Amino acid sequence: EPLSQSVCWRTKRMWMDIEKQFWRDSVWMMTFDYKEGHRMWISTKYKEIPNGESAHMQMHLDLPTFEHKLNVDCAGSIQNGVMHFNSLYNNQEFRSGMIAYVVEAKDDVDEGVDERDSAYPSQRRREERLRYKRKTPNTPCTPEQQKIAERLFDKNSWTVV
């Protein structure tokens, strides 16, 4: 291959590696719908609130569209540059409950109420989360979801939230 293409590819690869290092301590979610397929969302701005909202719960509210909020498929984290695949969102019952909150919040927003102040009373969220957390402390993605998430991350095919 010509030298210019080789240098260009190495430079691009170097920037991709640097960009991945930026996400070394972050959370990710993957959504799925039949039009878009799987999409990965990633962010460093969400942190666990002790005895409160998880980083994933906060991220879920900030996904860009109502459709994405309804179609969360799985979630995990990146710790010290290594992908991890555990989240309460990987538990179907927990994920369904969180999606129900999103639907309630949308109804309130449609009526002019701020979603973070209405359908998401913090005490109710905290109690639900702790109940599910005690029930399923480490819920991994399925092996198939893990492969898809790794592929999307490795290809830099993700969107920042």
Side-chain angles (χ1 to χ4, degrees), residues 108-159:
D108 287 346
V109 168
D110 290 345
E111 295 171 12
V113 179
D114 186 307
E115 73 179 42
R116 290 195 186 267
D117 294 334
S118 61
Y120 289 81
S122 60
Q123 186 61 33
R124 176 176 162 197
R125 268 195 316 249
R126 187 171 17 259
E127 289 169 2
E128 285 290 302
R129 181 177 173 275
L130 292 175
R131 185 171 69 82
Y132 284 119
K133 193 170 187 174
R134 282 191 296 270
K135 193 168 151 181
T136 56
N138 282 315
T139 306
C141 299
T142 67
E144 180 182 344
Q145 290 169 328
Q146 289 181 23
K147 286 178 190 172
I148 294 167
E150 286 174 328
R151 188 186 78 234
L152 291 172
F153 185 71
D154 287 344
K155 290 173 57 180
N156 281 13
S157 184
W158 31 264
T159 304

Side-chain angles (χ1 to χ4, degrees), residues 2-54:
L3 180 62
S4 62
Q5 285 182 343
S6 174
V7 170
C8 182
W9 172 246
R10 275 183 273 163
T11 303
K12 182 179 179 188
R13 188 76 196 144
M14 180 183 72
W15 279 110
M16 288 169 62
D17 291 341
I18 289 169
E19 192 171 41
K20 284 181 186 168
Q21 284 303 307
F22 179 75
W23 302 111
R24 61 183 294 113
D25 293 307
S26 57
V27 291
W28 60 266
M29 291 187 125
M30 194 165 64
T31 57
F32 176 80
D33 73 37
Y34 291 101
K35 287 190 301 188
E36 293 186 337
H38 286 97
R39 283 194 68 181
M40 178 176 271
W41 309 90
I42 189 168
S43 182
T44 59
K45 73 179 181 181
Y46 305 102
K47 303 297 179 210
E48 182 93 14
I49 298 171
N51 294 316
E53 290 182 333
S54 71

